[in-house]
Amino acid sequence: MLEASPRPDAATSRKVWTAQEARELFDLPFMELLFQAQTVHRRSFDPNRVQMSRLLSIKTGGCPEDCSYCSQSSRYDSGLSASKLIEVQRVISEARRARDAGATRYCMGAAWRSPKERDMAQIVAMIEGVKALGMETCMTLGMLDGDQARRLKTAGLDYYNHNIDTSEAHYSNVITTRTFADRLETLQNVRDSGIKVCSGGILGLGEGAQDRVDMLVTLANLPEPPESVPVNMLIPVAGTPLADADPVDPIDFVRVIATARIMMPESHVRLSAGRTEMSDEMQALCFFAGANSIFVGDTLLTKDNPDEDDDMRLFAKLGLQPMTVHEHMPATDDDVGEARRLAARAADPAIPVLR
Ligand code: SAM
Ligand code: DTB
Ligand code: SF4
């Protein structure tokens, strides 16, 4: 486990979060938390721009892992039929349609514990084909060793998604077939290869507030924080152990987004799975709290996502615009310093929060 310390990391001068600091931030009065999150957000990003990614399941179901939320685990009867790895040409034509509808990043997901050697050539061809369309590429294929990560990087992969899902303490209540440490090892292999890291988690797995905070502490304290942080709300799947899990309180969900924004000021925070169950108002609060990325298109991997028309209506109501590829306001050193000062202030119990 990463050691939390209140001191800045000596090598990077980046703030290292303690669990207590993060919890104090998370527990701020809601209006104070949102104000601070929006202030931090504006230091690095245009608050009216949202990055749009499109997902495709390139290999569905039949997964040997036992993630207790997942429709694709072969351990549970979710009614899903397993498929083989799909054809490269189909991936490319789907990606082209997504690009023409405004998506800038194409995320390909496979229900694997980890990729097998026999699949690597096809995976590489998918990355090359999607990159040739001018899109950013992302894959989520399970655990990667160093050699696999380097090969994906050479093919042109921009991002790799591998979620830590929850806190280290709660992790084994959710997944037993691979460990929290395995996840961190894959994230390190991805980082070492030069591929950008996409890692976040799911709310609604029966975790408590401290688990949510601890998950964010782990992400923020990685040697470099993830460039993308997906925050999923559990989509309960019939037949899985979490089919009847208690729903997440919307205000609690927004608190996690805001805390993530302050703790990882330069990451894209993605309002990820679960949006079909969120009101316009809840999504608007998430964007205000610093979420600046979504999945577009009416399916995620196996489950529903809002229709493009509904999303465009929401964007129009809120005056939001899609972000173009690579658009990210580069923060000046002063801006970053100010964001860190704000974040430190938010976490300092000696400073009154009311002004
Ligand atoms: N098999 C690969 C893996 O687990 O890394 C990639 C695919 S997996 C489906 C990607 C992520 O989707 C999971 O880590 C989890 O965070 C999220 N996810 C899966 N099922 C979900 C559900 N029912 N509700 C919300 N998020 C879910
Ligand atoms: C992530 O954090 N969420 C996406 C993506 N990364 C791969 C997946 C959500 C899956 C939701 C359930 C489903 O469609 O099966
Ligand atoms: Fe498999 Fe990924 Fe689903 Fe876990 S989350 S069961 S690893 S597809």
Side-chain angles (χ1 to χ4, degrees):
M1 204 176 110
L2 291 162
E3 286 292 321
S5 140
R7 293 178 302 280
D9 181 286
T12 61
S13 79
R14 188 163 56 83
K15 179 172 176 54
V16 177
W17 289 88
T18 65
Q20 191 191 335
E21 285 173 317
R23 183 64 197 254
E24 281 161 4
L25 187 57
F26 182 82
D27 286 337
L28 280 174
F30 189 65
M31 302 309 158
E32 181 66 21
L33 178 62
L34 254 61
F35 176 73
Q36 296 204 16
Q38 175 69 194
T39 306
V40 168
H41 188 48
R42 284 166 180 262
R43 301 284 173 199
S44 301
F45 295 102
D46 179 338
N48 302 310
R49 296 266 182 185
V50 175
Q51 188 273 332
M52 304 201 309
S53 294
R54 181 72 163 98
L55 265 174
L56 177 70
S57 179
I58 57 172
K59 195 271 165 204
T60 305
C63 183
E65 303 296 289
D66 71 351
C67 311
S68 37
Y69 47 78
C70 188
S71 62
Q72 304 200 69
S73 168
S74 60
R75 318 253 173 155
Y76 318 122
D77 183 8
S78 69
L80 191 79
S81 46
S83 76
K84 291 203 165 84
L85 185 60
I86 66 177
E87 293 296 321
V88 176
Q89 279 316 318
R90 198 173 134 210
V91 173
I92 295 171
S93 60
E94 295 284 345
R96 187 178 292 111
R97 285 202 311 146
R99 181 197 64 184
D100 294 346
T104 55
R105 191 179 306 165
Y106 205 60
C107 305
M108 296 158 267
W112 287 330
R113 174 175 167 83
S114 56
K116 301 244 171 18
E117 185 52 39
R118 62 169 184 261
D119 300 312
M120 287 301 278
Q122 218 167 316
I123 292 294
V124 163
M126 289 174 189
I127 297 169
E128 290 171 347
V130 174
K131 269 221 86 86
L133 298 173
M135 299 182 87
E136 293 181 316
T137 51
C138 177
M139 285 205 157
T140 179
L141 313 172
M143 296 191 287
L144 287 188
D145 64 27
D147 180 58
Q148 290 172 319
R150 283 187 291 275
R151 287 162 71 190
L152 298 183
K153 171 69 183 170
T154 304
L157 188 66
D158 296 301
Y159 289 84
Y160 195 80
N161 167 244
H162 197 66
N163 292 338
I164 62 169
D165 278 348
T166 189
S167 69
E168 183 171 20
H170 190 53
Y171 185 89
S172 61
N173 299 325
V174 181
I175 301 147
T176 69
T177 48
R178 56 186 175 185
T179 64
F180 197 75
D182 290 334
R183 297 257 174 167
L184 296 182
E185 193 179 319
T186 290
L187 292 178
Q188 193 58 51
N189 291 336
V190 171
R191 179 58 81 201
D192 290 345
S193 75
I195 298 171
K196 293 195 254 293
V197 172
C198 171
S199 188
I202 311 179
L203 306 190
L205 305 176
E207 74 284 352
Q210 193 58 47
D211 294 303
R212 293 170 181 174
V213 171
D214 289 346
M215 175 178 87
L216 296 180
V217 169
T218 297
L219 293 168
N221 286 350
L222 287 171
E224 279 183 72
E227 280 80 2
S228 275
V229 180
V231 183
N232 297 279
M233 188 169 82
L234 177 71
I235 301 178
V237 178
T240 64
L242 286 166
D244 299 316
D246 288 338
V248 181
D249 181 280
I251 298 293
D252 291 345
F253 190 93
V254 177
R255 274 190 183 280
V256 173
I257 298 272
T259 310
R261 165 51 63 224
I262 295 169
M263 292 173 69
M264 293 171 276
E266 299 201 59
S267 304
H268 282 79
V269 175
R270 181 171 306 122
L271 178 55
S272 202
R275 289 198 300 116
T276 54
E277 300 307 310
M278 296 180 194
S279 66
D280 284 359
E281 295 86 340
M282 177 177 172
Q283 294 187 66
L285 273 180
C286 288
F287 294 130
F288 188 76
N292 61 347
S293 173
I294 56 169
F295 285 118
V296 286
D298 58 8
T299 30
L300 294 163
L301 292 172
T302 69
K303 294 291 168 193
D304 289 348
N305 197 45
D307 287 344
E308 257 136 328
D309 289 352
D310 288 340
D311 278 341
M312 287 310 102
R313 263 193 292 276
L314 178 60
F315 271 41
K317 269 206 262 187
L318 301 177
L320 293 175
Q321 301 278 341
M323 209 181 269
T324 53
V325 182
H326 306 313
E327 183 185 330
H328 173 192
M329 288 193 337
T332 63
D333 285 351
D334 277 0
D335 286 343
V336 174
E338 173 67 2
R340 289 196 184 119
R341 193 190 62 72
L342 264 172
R345 180 186 180 284
D348 186 347
I351 298 174
V353 291
L354 299 176
R355 280 180 278 192

